[in-house]
Amino acid sequence: MADPLTPEEMPSTDLITLTRHVLAEQFRLGSTATGDLTSLLIAIQVTSKFIANNVRKARLINLIGLAGETNVQGEEQKKLDVLSNDIMVNALRASGKTAVLVSEELDDPVIISDPRLKGRYCVVFDPLDGSSNIDAGVNIGTIFGIYKVRDGSTGTVEDVLRPGREMVAAGYTMYGSSANLVLSTGNGVNGYTLDNALGEFILTHPDIKIPPRGKIYSFNEGNSCFFHPPVINYLNSIKFPANNKPYSARYIGSMVADVHRTLLYGGIFGYPDDKKSKKGKLRLLYEAYPMAFLTEQAGGLATTGRMRVLDVEPTSIHDRSPIFLGSKEDVQDVMKFYEEYDKQQVNGKAA
């Protein structure tokens, strides 16, 4: 018979839920906190539960089919995409805390005009990132970022056409074998896992810190024939290094899943611009900004290759951007290859 566990070995019974955690953060801020952001984050938590449940059901009964439409990006929407978007828009509007909503699935922003429902925040989101992987059982997710309406504004599209550094919160929920919600309100990054029995997200990954250097790279090398020289040179440096310790390649094709692994294990995720996608493929407002915000809050870096992602100025709600994010030293290596390439180009023109 095994010896009984000592008090130190006993699992903790003090479960910290997401609701409890964000309320504690509000309490920490004291009189400066109005509770509006807390209420909004709780609304996002509720939408994540609904979407997680629908993803699970859809996979179980295999009833996912095309909705017969394409989104503004020209991509086929599936029924779950449409449902997830409706859940997000309706729940965020009903929270009474939002003024502007921007979704990947909608051509135009949703402006909340009803004064009874109008709030002080703007939410930009991709309701179901990686939806092409649904039938394969691959992890997919919801990505979101939150801005505060500018002083003096009544809530217009200009309130979201701002650099990512002005976001007040960002996060994602990943739907797979478990539902994981990763969130930052500008004071570090925390991860929560949905306990289906309790119906609550429980704090399971407190204060996530990305390692300063990793051993994994995550790029879609199927596009390598279109890559520009700095990217090709960087990839060669980690695949054929002088120390004979190459990086391992891990690419899922779902940004949420690839970034989640990068945050926990370190390394680098990259989706560069190339000869085919002149501005990159990922959307700035609701993909690049939130993930860059989380990465920096976890101690990493996020760059376009030439500048900080969070400093890029958006010109439209569906702008695209190249991005490299992950461990600080790995991202700095990419930036060095861009710097060297640009110097060579300048010297070549001067000659």
Side-chain angles (χ1 to χ4, degrees), residues 256-286:
V256 168
D258 282 314
V259 171
H260 188 70
R261 182 197 57 247
T262 303
L263 283 176
L264 296 183
Y265 300 157
I268 185 168
F269 167 84
Y271 214 113
D273 57 333
D274 56 34
K275 298 169 187 174
K276 182 175 66 171
S277 302
K278 305 297 183 182
K279 294 185 68 176
K281 183 179 178 183
L282 299 179
R283 268 67 67 170
L284 189 59
L285 258 64
Y286 40 80

Side-chain angles (χ1 to χ4, degrees), residues 98-101 120-124 145-149 156 159-160:
T98 58
V100 182
L101 306 176
R120 303 165 61 237
Y121 291 94
C122 309
V123 184
V124 294
I146 302 174
Y147 291 95
K148 192 172 183 179
V149 173
T156 71
D159 287 304
V160 297

Side-chain angles (χ1 to χ4, degrees), residues 159-191:
D159 287 304
V160 297
L161 292 180
R162 296 149 65 188
R165 65 176 181 271
E166 296 185 28
M167 283 184 170
V168 296
Y172 61 81
T173 306
M174 183 174 67
Y175 315 112
S177 57
S178 61
N180 302 92
L181 194 156
V182 175
L183 173 69
S184 175
T185 56
N187 187 34
V189 181
N190 293 290

Side-chain angles (χ1 to χ4, degrees), residues 217-221 224 227 229-241 247 268 272 324 334 337:
Y217 73 99
S218 184
F219 286 66
N220 182 1
E221 290 192 273
S224 57
F227 287 169
V231 181
I232 294 172
N233 293 338
Y234 169 70
L235 290 175
N236 285 338
S237 76
I238 59 175
K239 292 193 292 184
F240 309 101
Y247 278 36
I268 185 168
F324 304 89
V334 171
F337 278 96

Side-chain angles (χ1 to χ4, degrees), residues 45-287:
Q45 173 188 197
V46 172
T47 66
S48 295
K49 293 176 187 176
F50 271 106
I51 296 172
N53 189 47
N54 280 287
V55 169
R56 187 168 60 250
K57 285 181 179 178
R59 283 175 165 164
L60 180 65
I61 60 179
N62 196 25
L63 287 180
I64 300 171
L66 296 180
E69 300 176 356
T70 58
N71 64 15
V72 68
Q73 316 302 335
E75 301 164 338
E76 288 183 326
Q77 293 186 83
K78 293 197 170 184
K79 287 179 180 176
L80 202 53
D81 287 12
V82 179
L83 178 62
S84 300
N85 182 70
D86 290 346
I87 290 171
M88 291 284 290
V89 170
N90 292 333
L92 294 173
R93 180 193 283 122
S95 73
K97 305 303 178 186
T98 58
V100 182
L101 306 176
V102 171
S103 169
E104 182 194 29
E105 303 297 338
L106 300 175
D107 295 44
D108 302 311
V110 176
I111 307 296
I112 311 299
S113 56
D114 188 337
R116 297 169 299 175
L117 297 176
K118 197 178 210 48
R120 303 165 61 237
Y121 291 94
C122 309
V123 184
V124 294
F125 58 92
D126 183 347
L128 204 61
D129 174 71
S131 57
S132 61
N133 289 313
I134 294 172
D135 293 338
V138 172
N139 287 5
I140 55 179
T142 299
I143 308 172
F144 62 89
I146 302 174
Y147 291 95
K148 192 172 183 179
V149 173
R150 297 165 301 163
D151 290 341
S153 174
T154 58
T156 71
V157 68
E158 298 302 322
D159 287 304
V160 297
L161 292 180
R162 296 149 65 188
R165 65 176 181 271
E166 296 185 28
M167 283 184 170
V168 296
Y172 61 81
T173 306
M174 183 174 67
Y175 315 112
S177 57
S178 61
N180 302 92
L181 194 156
V182 175
L183 173 69
S184 175
T185 56
N187 187 34
V189 181
N190 293 290
Y192 310 82
T193 302
L194 180 61
D195 185 316
N196 290 308
L198 295 176
E200 289 277 1
F201 280 95
I202 307 298
L203 180 65
T204 51
H205 295 77
D207 195 23
I208 295 172
K209 295 294 183 187
I210 189 169
R213 181 175 288 279
K215 300 177 181 178
I216 297 171
Y217 73 99
S218 184
F219 286 66
N220 182 1
E221 290 192 273
N223 289 329
S224 57
C225 63
F226 303 114
F227 287 169
H228 294 304
V231 181
I232 294 172
N233 293 338
Y234 169 70
L235 290 175
N236 285 338
S237 76
I238 59 175
K239 292 193 292 184
F240 309 101
N243 63 6
N244 289 320
K245 294 180 179 179
Y247 278 36
S248 297
R250 299 286 186 273
Y251 184 73
I252 298 169
S254 169
M255 188 185 190
V256 168
D258 282 314
V259 171
H260 188 70
R261 182 197 57 247
T262 303
L263 283 176
L264 296 183
Y265 300 157
I268 185 168
F269 167 84
Y271 214 113
D273 57 333
D274 56 34
K275 298 169 187 174
K276 182 175 66 171
S277 302
K278 305 297 183 182
K279 294 185 68 176
K281 183 179 178 183
L282 299 179
R283 268 67 67 170
L284 189 59
L285 258 64
Y286 40 80
E287 291 179 323

